Every structure is written in structure tokens, then in C-alpha cells.
Amino acid sequence: MTNKEQILQTALALFAEQGYDRTPTSQIAREAGVSEGLIFRHFGSKDALLAAIIQLGLSQIAESMQGYTGQAAPHGAIAEHIARSFALVRAHETFWRLVQKARFQPAVRQTAAAQIEEVNRFIVGQLTAHFQQAGSANPQLEALHLFALIDGVTIHYLDNPAEYPLDAMQQFLIQKYSDGNNMG
Amino acid sequence: MTNKEQILQTALALFAEQGYDRTPTSQIAREAGVSEGLIFRHFGSKDALLAAIIQLGLSQIAESMQGYTGQAAPHGAIAEHIARSFALVRAHETFWRLVQKARFQPAVRQTAAAQIEEVNRFIVGQLTAHFQQAGSANPQLEALHLFALIDGVTIHYLDNPAEYPLDAMQQFLIQKYSDGNNMG
DNA sequence: TACCTTTGTGAGTGATTACTCACTTTTATG
DNA sequence: CATAAAAGTGAGTAATCACTCACAAAGGTA
């Protein structure tokens, strides 16, 4: 692993654990085993370092979303969305913890807000289409509802991964949605 | 309003808007119209100021929760919980924005975590009882599910209060739960 | 080898910040 | 009124932090 990659990885871990504002660049350098100056040679500023982390994380996620055709039956598409969402959270737990932190830090948001918001809009749009295709009476609200639900479960899980029953919750939700209760 | 109250109110607004770490005590003092030293005379430290804000907010909320007997019919109790939750968010929007921020800032959490977590546990317990009384097949998961849902909707609303359809979502959820779909 | 570019260092710097303290003013109490 | 306690001030301080810079090492290319 190059020093640059080492910096990215160390900074991600520290930002996710301590928060952006509480993580000095000196600590990143120390734990990454490089000099502090190197961070600024590679990324220019602490803000730009965060932006690079977000961009890298999103691109990795986009990569693992390849092959998500969503061409299954309406019910199946929604179940698949739920399963994929939680799979992403499980696979990129640290990154999501950073994103959830960043969401509520205005100065941090400026860096990442546009990218994340675009992803969110895409997801809600896709969900709306699924619910519409499934004949839901109110696909828009249904999509916002599921989106909020997944976000809420994700946050509660990240709050306490060791104890939160994510597997059970995932099965619970998938069953709920495969009953057709939400297809009104 | 006393100077002490003025400090609390100003700090709440600034913490909620900018975040705790991004808000210097000098700014709080300036906007509250007092000297910086007075903050420390009254509260001792910036951390203690935050703790006082959280405690005040929670006590106000506990006060407005008085009279919430939850003695209605099972379905009614859940609908009432949903309505009351969003009413609280609407009435204490700034405070909730601070709480959502604090949730992801470890150093800030130490101050407020115990109190907030206790409230959360109480809510989940109460919801579980409601679902149990309603004959749900899995009251525990059902309670966690509704709790996450309300949290998710709250966060999305706080993200963009001007555009989020909170009224519609509230009616949507209440109708969903009065159908008995979740009573298995 | 000679030369250039990239990578890497670490001591230094100016700005910011939470907090202190000696002091003054106001308020309460006998 | 006298006195003490509480409220209030603002200049000062030590520490921290993001960032700079002069320089060195390493790597590629002719």
C-alpha cells in the first residue's frame, strides 16, 4: 500500500471514530506512519482529504452496485433493495459511519453534500418507480417512507453494531414488503 | 430573560446550526450580548454548557409529555405515539437538530449520551408493550422498526424542513398503522 | 553519470480557542 | 447604610491546530 493510500485509510478510520473536527492532521500522520507535511503535499488541505475519502468511498460503492439491474418483479425489486442496502452498510461500515457524521456537520457537508444528495435522489427516484410499478396508491410517500426506514435502521445499527439485530430486522422488513402490505 | 437564559438559548441555536466544535465560546458571548467570562462563571466549561442545554431541552420535553397516558386502544396508542413524536419535533426543531448532531460526536455524546439513551430505551419499551397488547407476532422487532422509522423521518425532515412533506408522512404512517397491518 | 521530477521530512508559524483572574458593578440582607 | 455575595467584565495565556517551507532522498530517463 502506498503512503497516499495509507493516509486515506487512516484518516477514514479516525474521522469515522472521532469525527472530522476532533481529528488533528498530526494524529493522522502519526498513525499512518508518515510526516504531517506529506498529507498536505498529496491533498492540499484537510478539507480536500475528506473530499477524497468521500469520493473514494462513493466510487467503491458505485462499483459494487454494478449489476444491480432491478429487473426482478416489483416485490422482488424492493426486497432486493433492502437486502443490498444493508449489505452495503455491512461491507462499508466505517465509511457509512463517516457519512452519517458528515450529514450533520455543515462545514463538512459543503465538501460532500452534492455527491451524497445526488445519490439519495437517485435512490428515492428508483424506489418510487418500483412502488409505482407495484401499483402502490402513493408511490412517492411509500418511497420516502422506505428510504427513511432504511436510514433509521442503519443509524441505529451503526450506533451499536454488536447488539443491534440487523439480520432479524432485514428479514422482518423483507417479509413485511413481500406480503404486499405496502402495495395498496 | 436573564443573561444565563440568554446564553443557553444562544448557544443552543449556534450549536444546532454550526455544530458544537465549530462554535467558539467567543461567538456565543458576542451574540448573547455578554462577556465571554460570564459563560464560564455560570457553566464552568463549554462541555458543561452543552450538558445544561441538553438537560433543559429534555426536561421541557418531559414536561410536554405529561398527560401522555397511552391508555387508548392499542392502535390508537401507536397512532398517538407517532403524532406526538412529530409534534415534539415540530415544537423543538432546533433542539432536535442539536440532538441529531450530538449523536455522532463521541466527545459530545459523553455529556449527553446517558440521558438520551435512557429516553430511547423507555420509548422502545413502551412501544414494545403497545405492540404486544395489540397481539403483534414480534412486538420487539415491530417496536425497533417503528422507532427507526420515526428517527429516519425526523432526520430527513430536519435536513430540509421547508420541503419535506412531514404532514403527509405523518398521516401516511398513522393510516398504515391503523390498518392493523403491523399487528400480525 | 548527470539531471529532473516526485516523494518525503520536520521544524516553524500565525491564527484560533477554551479558560483564568484580578477587578468592578449590581443585588440581596442585616 | 454597611457588608457580603453574586453577577459581570475583558485583557491575558497556554495550548492546539492547519498549513508552509527549505531541504533531502528516491526514482526515472538520457
Side-chain angles (χ1 to χ4, degrees), chain B residues 65-88:
Chain B
M65 287 283 274
Q66 294 293 4
Y68 175 23
T69 60
Q71 289 172 343
H75 288 184
I78 287 161
E80 191 182 350
H81 178 89
I82 294 172
R84 273 182 179 272
S85 298
F86 293 140
L88 275 182

Side-chain angles (χ1 to χ4, degrees), chain A residues 36-68:
Chain A
E36 199 176 350
L38 191 59
I39 293 175
F40 294 93
R41 179 164 299 281
H42 278 311
F43 301 99
S45 72
K46 193 184 173 187
D47 263 20
L49 169 59
L50 175 66
I53 291 172
I54 300 276
Q55 196 171 359
L56 180 62
L58 286 182
S59 74
Q60 285 177 354
I61 284 169
E63 196 175 340
S64 63
M65 288 283 274
Q66 294 292 5
Y68 175 23

Side-chain angles (χ1 to χ4, degrees), chain A residues 1-182:
Chain A
M1 174 154 19
T2 67
N3 276 337
K4 195 173 179 180
E5 290 166 334
Q6 187 68 42
I7 291 170
L8 281 167
Q9 186 173 312
T10 305
L12 167 59
L14 289 174
F15 287 164
E17 187 193 340
Q18 307 177 346
Y20 177 81
D21 288 318
R22 303 257 172 167
T23 303
T25 52
S26 58
Q27 186 186 10
I28 298 170
R30 195 184 331 122
E31 301 201 8
V34 300
S35 69
E36 199 176 350
L38 191 59
I39 293 175
F40 294 93
R41 179 164 299 281
H42 278 311
F43 301 99
S45 72
K46 193 184 173 187
D47 263 20
L49 169 59
L50 175 66
I53 291 172
I54 300 276
Q55 196 171 359
L56 180 62
L58 286 182
S59 74
Q60 285 177 354
I61 284 169
E63 196 175 340
S64 63
M65 288 283 274
Q66 294 292 5
Y68 175 23
T69 61
Q71 288 172 346
H75 288 183
I78 286 161
E80 191 182 349
H81 177 88
I82 294 171
R84 275 183 177 270
S85 297
F86 293 141
L88 275 182
V89 171
R90 273 185 265 253
H92 303 271
E93 190 176 309
T94 308
F95 176 72
W96 283 118
R97 193 168 283 115
L98 172 61
V99 168
Q100 295 296 350
K101 277 201 170 84
R103 164 181 259 158
F104 290 102
Q105 294 203 344
V108 174
R109 291 196 57 165
Q110 284 188 336
T111 304
Q115 302 176 54
I116 292 175
E117 231 165 273
E118 187 193 330
V119 172
N120 287 352
R121 232 189 301 275
F122 173 76
I123 291 174
V124 172
Q126 207 168 29
L127 282 180
T128 304
H130 287 156
F131 281 112
Q132 201 155 26
Q133 202 170 352
S136 165
N138 201 332
Q140 183 88 32
L141 271 181
E142 201 78 62
L144 278 180
H145 162 264
L146 178 56
F147 189 50
L149 176 56
I150 290 176
D151 244 21
V153 170
T154 299
I155 287 171
H156 288 181
Y157 165 72
L158 291 177
D159 246 20
N160 193 352
E163 292 193 19
Y164 195 89
L166 187 59
D167 290 336
M169 183 59 79
Q170 178 173 336
Q171 290 182 338
F172 182 73
L173 294 184
I174 288 177
Q175 192 199 334
K176 220 180 243 299
Y177 275 92
S178 60
D179 284 349
N181 283 338
N182 306 72

Side-chain angles (χ1 to χ4, degrees), chain B residues 57-73:
Chain B
L58 287 182
S59 74
Q60 284 176 355
I61 284 169
E63 195 174 341
S64 65
M65 287 283 274
Q66 294 293 4
Y68 175 23
T69 60
Q71 289 172 343

